[in-house]
Amino acid sequence: SLVWSDDSSLLTVDEDGQTMTVRAARGERADETIGQGTLLLGGDSIAARALRARTGLIASDLPTIPDPALPGIETPCSRSRMAIPLVVADELIGVLMMESRTPDLYTEDSVMMLHLVASQAATIYREMTSLRNLTRYTDNILRSIAAGVITVDKHGYIVTWNKRAEEIVNLRAGQVIGRHYREFIKMLQLDKAVREETMHMVELTAQTGKVFTRSQLCYPDAQGEETYINLSASKLRSESGDSLGVVVIFEDVTNEVQMKEEVERVSKLAETGQLAANIAHELRNPLSSIKGAAQLLRRGLPDDVIAEHGEFLDMIVQEVNGLDRIATEFLEFSRVTPPEMHLVSVNAMLARMLQFMSAYLADQDVRVVQNFEADLPELPLDHSQIEQVIKNIVINAVQAMPHGGTLSVSTRRQMQADIVEMD
């Protein structure tokens, strides 16, 4: 509206600082022009010269165009051109190009008027570029951060949803952005009381500006497994302090919760083991007294009484021995014993253990098949502890075959891992 042009274009300086590219155009060949480049340094175009000189330039020339009435003949066409540099605080932004088919249309007054427009255009373009770069930088941060980040506008609708939020909640951005946060919270299938508490927390944050947190919020994931998250909500404000909405940050703490539960479980088991060890220790003293009393009675009673009731005294001694053995096993189980390492032949140890347990295996109608790899190296082992482990495994296998069966015992060497396997 200030200066007429048949064709106009806006060129901006590329990142390399050596070229310019047409970003916007108007006129008959606008679509063809957008995206074309031109040299900035060393270029002889009026646009390059105007930008290097940092001042507006006017040029009139006589380009030729094809004459449709006379094939092969080109007709001179006088044109007026003007280039106005876009500069902000000595920063070269680009060039505004104006072109008219009317010769000598542009004057110094045209240059002065467009300089005012150009300075504003340059400022706006630079601000848009800075905003675009800042947005890209912020998006990279949100994409890389280890926590889920959601922003909710003043009306309660979700505006942003980062990659980590997708992974934790298993909901894509397209499923969530644009929805009201209440609708999203309902999608988590939380317990009703927890759902209402979470909604209330976001509402209070928006109303009061106070930061609220919720630890170990539990909800079922798509597979029905429990997922725990720590959630915090704080008010989102502009630089001037105006309320823009609420930002919600949450992190997956399922592993931490499970580890804590496992530590507590192991601690309880340790306490139970210690209690059992104390009980076993206290039982051994009265058991010793009972056994000693039974043995004294056997030696002190007449032979005819022993002949009639001696088996009961023997039964007392046998049962006491059994209880004493159980108490000893409790104590050994609860006591941490450092291993005594010695070189042991695995095949020989297994063969000896199976021979020792042969009577037990035969009583249970279990047949043993041995498949030992020859020439296994000797291994540094605690002989007694490994034998106890093997004995327990064999007993478990036999108990799994109440009607008898076949027990296969084999050894092999894994050369790549340099280990010996027993199964």
Side-chain angles (χ1 to χ4, degrees), residues 85 137 293 296 384:
Y137 182 71
L296 286 174
S384 60

Side-chain angles (χ1 to χ4, degrees), residues 290-292 294-295 298 312-322:
I290 294 171
K291 180 179 179 180
Q295 291 172 335
R298 189 169 193 23
F312 297 109
L313 294 175
D314 294 337
M315 187 182 299
I316 292 174
V317 173
Q318 291 173 3
E319 293 299 326
V320 167
N321 287 337

Side-chain angles (χ1 to χ4, degrees), residues 91-264:
E91 180 184 354
L92 301 177
I93 302 297
V95 176
L96 175 64
M97 284 292 305
M98 310 287 287
E99 187 171 320
S100 172
R101 298 186 186 91
T102 303
D104 302 323
L105 175 66
Y106 302 128
T107 64
E108 290 300 325
D109 291 338
S110 304
V111 171
M112 292 180 59
M113 283 190 293
L114 286 184
H115 260 302
L116 297 175
V117 176
S119 63
Q120 295 298 319
T123 302
I124 293 172
Y125 184 84
R126 187 177 67 169
E127 293 298 327
M128 290 175 62
T129 303
S130 299
L131 177 61
R132 187 164 55 248
N133 292 336
L134 179 60
T135 301
R136 188 183 300 119
Y137 182 71
T138 304
D139 289 342
N140 288 336
I141 293 175
L142 291 177
R143 196 162 38 243
S144 304
I145 199 169
V149 180
I150 308 171
T151 57
V152 179
D153 66 16
K154 293 187 292 185
H155 305 290
Y157 292 95
I158 296 175
V159 178
T160 62
W161 179 268
N162 74 336
K163 183 68 175 177
R164 185 56 181 151
E166 292 185 353
E167 296 171 352
I168 294 175
V169 185
N170 198 28
L171 290 173
R172 299 294 170 259
Q175 299 174 268
V176 178
I177 291 178
R179 293 179 180 268
H180 198 275
Y181 75 88
R182 284 179 164 270
E183 187 178 356
F184 157 66
I185 293 176
K186 290 178 181 178
M187 294 170 67
L188 295 181
Q189 298 180 352
L190 297 170
D191 178 77
K192 183 177 180 181
V194 176
R195 181 170 65 245
E196 293 299 327
E197 178 188 349
T198 306
M199 292 179 180
H200 187 56
M201 182 180 76
V202 177
E203 290 173 359
L204 286 177
T205 300
Q207 294 170 4
T208 66
K210 184 179 178 181
V211 177
F212 287 89
T213 60
R214 177 72 162 80
S215 298
Q216 297 182 13
L217 186 149
C218 179
Y219 72 94
D221 61 15
Q223 289 73 38
E225 301 291 335
E226 290 185 341
T227 300
Y228 294 87
I229 60 174
N230 287 346
L231 184 145
S232 66
S234 56
K235 201 158 191 176
L236 185 63
R237 299 181 184 274
S238 66
E239 292 182 357
S240 60
D242 296 332
S243 175
L244 299 177
V246 175
V247 58
V248 180
I249 300 176
F250 56 93
E251 56 180 336
D252 189 346
V253 293
T254 304
N255 290 337
E256 288 82 348
V257 172
Q258 292 175 345
M259 288 178 62
K260 181 181 178 181
E261 291 176 350
E262 182 65 16
V263 169
E264 291 176 352

Side-chain angles (χ1 to χ4, degrees), residues 14 18 38 45 58 72 86 92-94 98 125 146 175 182 198 205 213 251 278 295 305 320 325 337 352 358 380 396:
D14 299 327
Q18 305 294 316
T38 182
S45 66
I58 300 173
L86 309 180
L92 301 177
I93 302 297
M98 310 287 287
Y125 184 84
Q175 299 174 268
R182 284 179 164 270
T198 306
T205 300
T213 60
E251 56 180 336
N278 293 337
Q295 291 172 335
V305 176
V320 167
R325 184 172 60 256
T337 305
R352 185 168 57 253
S358 59
N396 288 343

Side-chain angles (χ1 to χ4, degrees), residues 350 369 371-372 393 407-412 420-423:
L350 284 172
V369 176
N371 184 19
F372 297 161
I393 293 174
L407 175 65
S408 298
V409 183
S410 61
T411 61
R412 71 183 63 84
V420 172
E421 292 181 345
M422 296 181 285
D423 58 30

